[in-house]
Amino acid sequence: MRAVSSGLSRAVYGIVSVLALLGALVIAPSASADVPLRHVLVFHKTAGYQHPSIPAGVEAVRQLGRQNGFTVTATADANQFTETNLMRFQAVVFLSTTGDVLDASQQSAFEKYVAAGGGFVGVHAAADTEYDWAWYGGLVGAYFHSHPANQTARIRVEDRSNVSTSHLPQTWTRLDEWYNYRANPRANVRVLASLDESSYSGGTMGDHPITWCHEYQGGRAWYTGLGHTAESYSDPAFTRMLLGGIQIAGGASNADCRPETGYTAIFDGSQASLDRWRQAGPGGFTLTDGTLVSHGGMGLLWFPVQRFGYYSLRLDWMMPGDDNGGVFIGFPDPQGDPWKPVNAGHEIQIDATDGDPTRTTGSVYSFRAPDRALRDSVLNPPGQWNAYEIAVHGQLVEVWLNGVKINEYTSQRDIAFGYVGVQNDGAGLDISYRNIRVRQDGGPSDQDLARDRPVTVSSVEPDSSHVGANAVDGDNQTRWGSVHSDPQWIAVDLGASHDISRVRLNWEAAYAKSYAIQFSADGSAWTTAYTTSAGDGGIDEVIVSGSARYVRVEGTQRATQWGYSLWDLQVFGH
């Protein structure tokens, strides 16, 4: 959602230098993008097979340096690996090294370099190196096992927010020598791209990562199995990927390199997945190369197939300039009105130039500002992709930007179980989204057993439409209201006996100071599962245990002069 701009400079997106340069000595950077890339070491010693493509690779990195403002030292001399010398470089590229290339003291110097925040880039046969040095195997992520003959294969680009792969199509077809690895690294690294083994002969892994990144013992590592052929180094798509890897390893670009498992795509870039979404309000999105591109607004594209509870939502986003968008969580069916999610759920904002800190990128819009210094240190600039993770566990909302946690907020809204969506804010406020996926994180059951079930109540507020069914209709803008006296109750028939783990009550301003939650098998004999005399309104999320077909909330003491009033009565279990 867009607020009035303060006119602050777009430099909030910029890379802020916090390290001093002492002569020619550059201290290895921290994990955030603190300094521009200045010095890179390309190491290409071989103690086994020597790839004919190495000279082309060295020249390609030199050319990248000339084009992007960093110097390149290329060497096959392992004597470069001293503590003092390595600290000159922000990243060290192992370019198709093979065999045992460093002695014990050189290995120790490199370990200390990485521990101090240094970066490693491994290209192709870097995985065919130092088999007896377990630390190095962990740094690369996997050791080489075998390869078939050179052939054309399809690559699935899994992470298109990463600066090294954001320019690539979802499916990238190319000729190379395709390594099989001794073990699958996926559990320990962020896989950026993987091979489709059905597209070529000789793949042995099934799930076959080919490019990845991860943080490792204080430093950063990026690896690709591509790069066997000399022609690779004149391919702009490959060299741009290599540049991104060097920038990530050198700390000049931010990337979420945490391992990712257990997520299910709800928008995977295909038209079939987009067809499952629904637009509320004006404007919308076009689909181009797996990317949602906004037009017009203000509207909301939301996923009506499933409401989520206790989950982690991940997606990638990009603004071309001083634009605006947002990710919505925890809202009821908007019924065509994009303002309902604004009023009932939460927006995780995307707009870093708003003067109100609670309305900038990473904020829970209008409720909680992010850690702005931390946010600015990991935010990629306009035109580059960024990655959000938004975790919702009950009322707790947590926000990660490019793998770094920048916000945490405990909501007073009923957001623990609801829909998700992405915003198109308006004409000229352009934003794109990719790769939207969700992981259910366990916790209390996310199935609302009371939704749209039959309800009986002790009374309804006179001359009102606030009937009991409003409390179980999934719309937290409708409510049940009772007459203004004690006691009063509302009961729901779940249709069959269920094991119940949790009851959530979302009170309107007129709430109960004292009430009980009761269970029944037949709707006549009731057992008390929970009671309180200290109710304070808002949202009560009550952990209970027991089996029942009927659940009743009985209020015995009002907190106000009015009756009892519930936006929502939700019952969770299985």
Side-chain angles (χ1 to χ4, degrees):
M1 176 175 292
R2 187 69 163 187
V4 177
S5 174
S6 67
L8 295 177
S9 169
R10 297 183 190 180
V12 69
Y13 282 98
I15 298 173
V16 181
S17 176
V18 297
L19 299 178
L21 299 179
L22 302 176
L25 184 65
V26 179
I27 299 175
S30 68
S32 60
D34 291 327
V35 294
L37 197 61
R38 298 196 184 280
H39 305 294
V40 171
L41 176 65
V42 177
F43 182 54
H44 53 86
K45 181 179 177 179
T46 57
Y49 179 75
Q50 185 169 21
H51 281 73
S53 62
I54 287 175
V58 170
E59 178 53 32
V61 180
R62 290 192 188 278
Q63 180 67 14
L64 291 173
R66 289 190 290 268
Q67 294 170 344
N68 294 276
F70 61 89
T71 63
V72 175
T73 299
T75 184
D77 183 5
N79 291 318
Q80 293 272 348
F81 283 74
T82 67
E83 290 183 46
T84 300
N85 188 56
L86 288 174
M87 292 300 287
R88 297 171 51 217
F89 305 101
Q90 291 159 289
V92 177
V93 180
F94 276 49
L95 178 63
S96 284
T97 51
T98 54
D100 188 0
V101 293
L102 300 179
D103 66 23
S105 64
Q106 293 158 356
Q107 291 175 358
S108 176
F110 194 48
E111 289 182 12
K112 291 176 181 177
Y113 164 79
V114 171
F120 166 82
V121 172
V123 179
H124 194 56
D128 188 24
T129 302
E130 295 288 356
Y131 289 99
D132 297 325
W133 183 15
W135 178 91
Y136 178 82
L139 177 70
V140 177
Y143 280 121
F144 165 80
H145 177 265
S146 62
H147 67 78
N150 293 8
Q151 57 194 294
T152 298
R154 287 193 301 268
I155 300 170
R156 300 188 186 101
V157 182
E158 296 188 20
D159 186 342
R160 299 177 73 208
S161 69
N162 190 284
V163 68
S164 67
T165 51
S166 62
H167 65 289
L168 296 173
Q170 281 189 296
T171 301
W172 185 23
T173 302
R174 55 175 286 112
L175 172 73
D176 215 311
E177 180 182 72
W178 305 114
Y179 276 9
N180 299 305
Y181 299 96
R182 295 185 178 186
N184 190 325
R186 187 178 292 274
N188 301 311
V189 303
R190 180 60 165 269
V191 175
L192 306 179
S194 58
L195 288 176
D196 178 356
E197 289 192 347
S198 71
S199 68
Y200 73 104
S201 299
T204 64
M205 297 178 63
D207 175 28
H208 196 144
I210 198 65
T211 302
W212 57 78
C213 65
H214 64 130
E215 295 185 0
Y216 187 74
Q217 297 192 12
R220 297 163 306 282
W222 183 94
Y223 170 83
T224 184
L226 282 65
H228 171 79
T229 67
E231 291 77 12
S232 295
Y233 298 96
S234 58
D235 176 359
F238 175 81
T239 57
R240 184 172 172 183
M241 183 181 75
L242 181 57
L243 173 64
I246 295 170
Q247 290 170 331
I248 291 167
S253 288
N254 298 296
D256 185 352
C257 288
R258 296 173 299 162
E260 178 173 307
T261 58
Y263 285 82
T264 300
I266 57 176
F267 171 70
D268 64 8
S270 68
Q271 183 64 52
S273 70
L274 177 57
D275 288 344
R276 304 173 72 200
W277 291 64
R278 187 179 304 163
Q279 181 73 22
F285 292 87
T286 58
L287 178 61
T288 304
D289 188 26
T291 301
L292 296 171
V293 181
S294 70
H295 61 85
M298 186 199 90
L300 183 76
L301 183 68
W302 64 290
F303 187 69
V305 176
Q306 182 180 355
R307 294 194 300 165
F308 296 102
Y310 286 79
Y311 62 98
S312 167
L313 171 70
R314 288 190 177 188
L315 76 167
D316 309 331
W317 57 266
M318 187 275 288
M319 294 187 298
D322 184 10
D323 296 292
N324 185 268
V327 183
F328 279 84
I329 56 170
F331 57 89
D333 185 340
Q335 299 173 329
D337 182 359
W339 289 99
K340 281 193 174 183
V342 175
N343 297 324
H346 282 306
E347 178 186 10
I348 309 305
Q349 174 71 339
I350 302 171
D351 179 4
T353 61
D354 197 298
D356 181 345
T358 69
R359 298 184 175 191
T360 64
T361 294
S363 66
V364 181
Y365 188 81
S366 293
F367 288 91
R368 176 64 59 85
D371 181 323
R372 296 187 73 177
L374 189 58
R375 187 277 309 275
D376 291 350
S377 74
V378 297
L379 179 65
N380 288 325
Q384 291 188 19
W385 286 86
N386 288 273
Y388 261 167
E389 179 185 357
I390 303 163
V392 181
H393 298 106
Q395 304 307 118
L396 179 65
V397 180
E398 300 168 281
V399 181
W400 284 261
L401 174 65
N402 295 324
V404 176
K405 187 175 178 180
I406 62 170
N407 206 347
E408 180 177 310
Y409 174 65
T410 301
S411 177
Q412 294 303 304
R413 291 183 169 181
D414 186 14
I415 55 98
F417 185 67
Y419 295 106
V420 299
V422 292
Q423 184 187 59
N424 54 298
D425 192 78
L429 300 175
D430 303 317
I431 191 164
S432 297
Y433 304 97
R434 286 176 176 169
N435 195 17
I436 307 174
R437 64 263 194 215
V438 176
R439 183 188 67 205
Q440 302 279 182
D441 289 336
S445 169
D446 59 8
Q447 182 181 3
D448 180 7
L449 302 171
R451 177 73 180 272
D452 296 325
R453 298 300 305 169
V455 168
T456 55
V457 295
S458 56
S459 66
V460 175
E461 185 179 353
D463 301 319
S464 81
S465 60
H466 305 315
V467 297
N470 290 346
V472 296
D473 63 0
D475 184 348
N476 61 10
Q477 301 300 300
T478 63
R479 62 185 176 92
W480 164 65
S482 78
V483 299
H484 307 164
S485 64
D486 292 311
Q488 301 293 332
W489 53 263
I490 179 171
V492 58
D493 178 0
L494 304 180
S497 181
H498 293 272
D499 293 329
I500 299 169
S501 60
R502 180 168 53 113
V503 175
R504 184 190 294 125
L505 306 174
N506 183 7
W507 296 98
E508 198 252 353
Y511 63 93
K513 180 178 179 182
S514 298
Y515 67 89
I517 297 175
Q518 300 170 328
F519 293 167
S520 175
D522 57 10
S524 59
W526 297 92
T527 300
T528 298
Y530 171 83
T531 185
T532 183
S533 59
D536 58 0
I539 297 172
D540 292 345
E541 190 149 355
V542 181
I543 304 300
V544 292
S545 179
S547 297
R549 171 173 173 169
Y550 298 86
V551 175
R552 183 169 73 178
V553 179
E554 183 177 46
T556 54
Q557 183 181 359
R558 292 167 293 142
T560 70
Q561 62 179 310
W562 313 108
Y564 296 88
S565 188
L566 274 173
W567 293 117
D568 288 299
L569 163 60
Q570 295 173 289
V571 179
F572 299 91
H574 60 274

